Amino acid sequence: MTLLRHGDISAGRAAELLEIERWQLSELMDIYQISPFPTQTKEELQEEVTQTVEILSQYKK
C-alpha cells in the first residue's frame, strides 16, 4: 500500500501483487485513505485535458 500511496506502482500492479481483484483494492485504498486519483498540478491536468481533446477530435472527422 505504501508503494501505491507514493505512486511507485499502479493500482493494477498493486492488485496483482496482493492477488486480489481491482474492486477489492479499491476498498483497501479507502481504508488506507489512498486517493485513486494521481496528484497533479493545475498545469499537468490542463496538459492532460488538452491531449485528450486532441485525441477525441481525431475521431470526430
Side-chain angles (χ1 to χ4, degrees), residues 1 31 52:
M1 298 308 286
I31 292 167
T52 302

Side-chain angles (χ1 to χ4, degrees), residues 2-22:
T2 300
L3 293 173
L4 185 58
R5 180 186 309 279
H6 293 284
D8 295 328
I9 61 173
S10 67
R13 181 68 177 138
E16 184 179 302
L17 289 171
L18 294 169
E19 298 180 347
I20 60 175
E21 298 293 325
R22 287 288 302 266

